Amino acid sequence: MINNPILTGFHPDPSVCRVGKDYYIAVSTFEWFPGVMIYHSKDLKHWHLVSTPVNRTSQLNMLGNPDSGGVWAPALSYHDGKFWLIYSDVKELSGSWKDVNNYLITCDTIDGKWTDPIYLNSSGFDPSLFHEEDGKKYLVNMVWDYRPTRHSFYGIALQEYSPEERKLIGPSKIIFKGTNRKLTEAPHLYKINGYYYLLTAEGGTKYEHAATIARSKKIEGPYEIHPENPLITSWSYLELPLQKAGHGSFVQTHTDEWYFVHLTARPLKYKETPLLENRGYCPLGRETAIQKIEWKGGWPYITGGNFPKNRVESPSIPEQMWEKTPIKESFDQEQLPLHFQTLRIPFTEEIGSLTERKGYLRLFGRESFHSLFTKSLVARRWQHFSFEAVTKVECSPENFMQLAGMTNYYNTKNWSSIHLTHDEEKGRVIALLDCDNGQLCEPVGIIPTPDNVSAIYLKTIVSYETYHYSYSFDGKVWIDVGHTFDSLKLSDDYTAETQEGFFTGAFVGMFAIDTSGTRLAADFDFFSYEEKGGKP
C-alpha cells in the first residue's frame, strides 16, 4: 500500500511524467529558488529529489516578486527523446491583474543542465504542453480576465506550439469555460482511446478545491463533462485528514495501471473552534498525494469514490526505496544540498559561500525579512508536524542592525527568529523576534552571551499546533527561551485571512541580516532536521 501524502510538506501542483519504468513529479516552488523541484520514483511509493531545473537567473529572475508569486504549476512531459518543462513566473497577483510570463525549457536528462527559456505567452497561468500523435504540439493555459464585470477565470485556451520556430503559432482558442464550480485552471490534455481528455482544477485552492475532467473527440472541443463531476474533492467530507484535494495529473504505469497525483493538505485545528466554522490551518502547506484510477464507460474514476484516501493500493511494481535525506548537513560540499532553497535569488557570493571557510555555510548579512529583493536566507521545508531543527552559528555583531540565526518562515509578514545581535549595554546577545501579519514584536527579553563562547547553538522544536526555541552554549545543556509560538500562523490559511498570496508553507532555516550595509558574515557549522514522535 501507498501512504499519503507521498510528498510531505510544501509540494503543490504535481505534474507526473513516466519515462519507461521511471516516474517523475514536478512541483511548484513559488518565490523559493531554485524554481521547480522534480522527484523520482520507481514504484510510485518511494520518492527522492533529483533535480531543481530552473536554477539560474537566465531562466528565472524573481527580484521583487511578491509573496506567493514566482513559479506556479510546472508541467513536465517527455517526448522526442527529451524532457519538456513548462512553468509560469508570476510577477503580480493582487488586485485586478495577474501579471505572468510563461516559459518552456528542455533537457535530455532529468538532472542535466536545462536550456535557457523560450518565452511563450502571458495570457494566464498554469500552462502545459500536449504532444499530439501526428507530431504537433499544443499549449493549454487558463486565461485571466481583469474586467470588473467578468469572472476573472475566462477559460482554457489552446494554441499550437512550433518547436522549429520556438514560439506559439496560429490562433489561440478558448476550448473550455469550466463548470459551475468556476475558477477553472491547471489544464492538462491527454489522448486516450480516441478521446481528448481535459483535466482541470476548479473551485479555488482552498477547502473548496476540486479536479474536473471533460472529454471530446476533437482537440478544439466541444468538451462534455464527466457524468459524476468532480473527479475528486474533499469539500463534502469535513472530517477527512486529506483536505483541499484537486489540482493534479494522470500517469499510466508500465504495468498498464492508472494513477492520479494531486494537491492536498492536512489541517490542524484550534481545539475550541467548531469544525463547521473552521476546517483548520495547514502549516505544512499544500502537499502531493496519489490515488488509483479505474475506467468505467470511457471515464476515469477515483477508486473507492471521488475523495482522497489515506492509503492506496500500490501498482504491480516491486518496491524500490532510496537513501533518506541526512538528518545533519555539515556543509562539506561546494554546493547546497538540493532540499535547501533561498528566496527569489540563487545562492551565490552575493549572499553566502560554502568555500570561504571549509565545512561552514557562511552567510553575509543583507536585507531584512520584509525585503522582496536580496535576502540572505537558506532554509528547508517543514515536512512533519513534529520535528526538531538545530544549528550552530558564529557571529560577532557590532550593532543592533546586524543579526544572524535561525528562523521559522512563511512569508515576509509571517515569521519568527532566534538570533545573535548586539545591544548597546550588554554587547552580544541572543534575541527573539515575532512577525504576525507584518506586526513586529520582541516576545522575550534579550539574553547575554558569555564572552568566552564564540559559537551559539540554536534549536527549534515544532510540535503540531505550537513551536518554541531554545539555545545552548555547549551543545549539551539547553535553555528554553520561555515563549510558545503558534505554528498555525505559518500557514496559507492564516495568511489568507488578511493578505493576498497564500500558496506556500512553513520553512525552517538560517539567515543573516545587516541593514547597516557592512554585510557582516555569520558562519553556520551545521544544520540538522529530525522528525519526532507522534502527536501527544
Side-chain angles (χ1 to χ4, degrees):
M1 300 293 285
I2 301 175
N3 295 317
N4 277 319
I6 53 173
L7 300 180
T8 62
F10 163 51
H11 292 100
D13 312 326
S15 172
V16 64
C17 168
R18 177 174 71 88
V19 182
K21 296 182 180 180
D22 293 284
Y23 300 84
Y24 302 96
I25 288 178
V27 294
S28 299
T29 46
F30 292 83
E31 69 264 40
W32 289 92
F33 200 100
V36 183
M37 285 187 154
I38 299 179
Y39 288 81
H40 175 218
S41 177
K42 290 281 192 179
D43 58 11
L44 297 184
K45 180 176 181 177
H46 302 100
W47 298 84
H48 69 132
L49 181 61
V50 293
S51 179
T52 52
V54 190
N55 53 31
R56 54 190 189 272
T57 53
S58 62
Q59 297 170 310
L60 180 66
N61 185 345
M62 293 194 291
L63 279 178
N65 278 23
D67 291 332
S68 285
V71 177
W72 288 19
L76 180 67
S77 58
Y78 185 84
H79 208 267
D80 306 324
K82 61 184 175 182
F83 291 94
W84 305 69
L85 183 68
I86 307 277
Y87 61 95
S88 299
D89 177 16
V90 178
K91 315 304 287 187
E92 178 57 49
L93 52 82
S94 62
S96 299
W97 269 274
K98 290 283 190 295
D99 291 307
V100 54
N101 299 315
N102 296 318
Y103 299 101
L104 165 67
I105 58 176
T106 62
C107 192
D108 293 336
T109 60
I110 199 71
D111 57 354
K113 183 178 180 181
W114 292 68
T115 62
D116 278 344
I118 297 170
Y119 170 77
L120 297 172
N121 67 14
S122 298
S123 60
F125 47 85
D126 292 0
S128 69
L129 194 64
F130 172 67
H131 306 272
E132 180 60 282
E133 296 168 341
D134 62 6
K136 290 185 177 181
K137 301 183 186 301
Y138 294 90
L139 186 80
V140 285
N141 64 269
M142 68 79 65
V143 173
W144 185 263
D145 191 339
Y146 69 90
R147 296 173 293 183
T149 58
R150 305 294 183 94
H151 194 280
S152 52
F153 287 67
Y154 185 73
I156 303 302
L158 174 81
Q159 190 172 6
E160 187 177 350
Y161 172 74
S162 169
E164 295 76 22
E165 299 177 66
R166 295 165 57 88
K167 67 178 183 179
L168 295 172
I169 60 174
S172 173
K173 179 182 179 181
I174 298 296
I175 61 170
F176 187 61
K177 295 290 286 186
T179 76
N180 56 9
R181 289 177 179 264
K182 302 294 186 182
L183 289 86
T184 308
E185 57 187 346
H188 291 280
L189 268 174
Y190 305 89
K191 192 172 186 181
I192 305 165
N193 295 330
Y195 277 100
Y196 294 92
Y197 288 86
L198 179 61
L199 175 66
T200 57
E202 293 193 315
T205 195
K206 299 180 184 178
Y207 287 99
E208 302 89 342
H209 200 43
T212 295
I213 188 81
R215 72 180 187 183
S216 174
K217 283 288 188 179
K218 297 180 179 180
I219 194 170
E220 300 89 356
Y223 282 83
E224 58 174 324
I225 298 166
H226 193 296
E228 297 183 30
N229 187 64
L231 177 70
I232 196 170
T233 187
S234 306
W235 176 238
S236 302
Y237 308 94
L238 278 72
E239 296 183 352
L240 286 179
L242 299 178
Q243 290 289 320
K244 304 183 181 179
H247 189 141
S249 59
F250 291 140
V251 65
Q252 182 182 19
T253 69
H254 63 277
T255 53
D256 200 29
E257 299 166 270
W258 285 84
Y259 284 83
F260 174 61
V261 297
H262 64 94
L263 177 158
T264 192
R266 294 176 289 167
L268 299 173
K269 302 174 179 65
Y270 287 114
K271 293 179 175 64
E272 67 277 10
T273 304
L275 181 59
L276 288 172
E277 181 181 319
N278 188 318
R279 294 202 192 196
Y281 297 80
C282 306
L284 299 188
R286 299 171 303 155
E287 306 173 286
T288 288
I290 191 168
Q291 307 298 326
K292 193 162 190 180
I293 290 288
E294 53 192 44
W295 290 84
K296 302 175 185 177
W299 290 103
Y301 290 80
I302 303 295
T303 300
N306 69 336
F307 56 91
K309 320 299 186 301
N310 293 338
R311 287 170 59 80
V312 174
E313 181 183 347
S314 299
S316 303
I317 302 172
E319 288 194 17
Q320 180 167 322
M321 300 181 67
W322 310 101
E323 288 187 14
K324 292 185 177 180
T325 301
I327 290 173
K328 185 177 181 179
E329 297 289 356
S330 298
F331 305 120
D332 295 325
Q333 306 300 316
E334 294 187 4
Q335 292 183 329
L336 283 174
L338 284 180
H339 58 279
F340 280 101
Q341 289 189 277
T342 50
L343 278 166
R344 296 179 178 83
I345 58 175
F347 180 78
T348 66
E349 62 276 2
E350 191 174 16
I351 61 171
S353 171
L354 285 163
T355 58
E356 286 201 6
R357 184 179 179 188
K358 187 174 177 58
Y360 286 80
L361 167 65
R362 172 164 288 180
L363 294 180
F364 302 112
R366 296 303 305 266
E367 296 166 8
S368 75
F369 283 118
H370 295 314
S371 173
L372 300 178
F373 293 87
T374 309
K375 274 202 196 56
S376 186
L377 188 156
V378 173
R380 55 156 296 160
R381 289 152 176 72
W382 286 21
Q383 289 189 268
H384 306 91
F385 287 120
S386 179
F387 69 86
E388 177 181 293
V390 182
T391 192
K392 178 184 177 184
V393 59
E394 292 182 44
C395 184
S396 300
E398 299 175 347
N399 57 65
F400 68 90
M401 292 174 282
Q402 299 171 333
L403 51 156
M406 173 181 281
T407 180
N408 286 290
Y409 182 96
Y410 177 81
N411 67 6
T412 58
K413 295 181 173 63
N414 293 82
W415 51 267
S416 68
S417 67
I418 181 170
H419 51 266
L420 290 172
T421 187
H422 181 87
D423 179 76
E424 293 88 338
E425 297 179 358
K426 298 182 178 181
R428 191 182 69 161
V429 296
I430 298 170
L432 268 75
L433 287 174
D434 184 21
C435 189
D436 185 346
N437 280 328
Q439 298 299 309
L440 198 61
C441 74
E442 295 178 294
V444 299
I446 56 177
I447 303 159
T449 64
D451 293 336
N452 62 342
V453 173
S454 59
I456 308 298
Y457 296 81
L458 304 174
K459 178 192 293 185
T460 185
I461 298 176
V462 175
S463 182
Y464 292 83
E465 295 88 353
T466 62
Y467 68 96
H468 63 276
Y469 293 107
S470 57
Y471 62 92
S472 174
F473 299 126
D474 59 7
K476 300 175 182 177
V477 178
W478 289 91
I479 303 167
D480 191 281
V481 298
H483 180 81
T484 299
F485 293 83
D486 191 343
S487 64
L488 306 188
K489 292 185 176 181
L490 302 180
S491 70
D492 296 348
D493 316 277
Y494 183 76
T495 303
E497 293 173 357
T498 57
Q499 302 171 37
E500 293 280 355
F502 43 84
F503 305 132
T504 56
F507 279 67
V508 60
M510 303 149 285
F511 75 94
I513 292 172
D514 187 351
T515 56
S516 74
T518 56
R519 302 186 182 180
L520 182 73
D523 289 338
F524 295 85
D525 186 16
F526 67 88
F527 187 90
S528 66
Y529 175 103
E530 184 175 11
E531 180 186 5
K532 291 302 180 181
K535 188 170 185 178

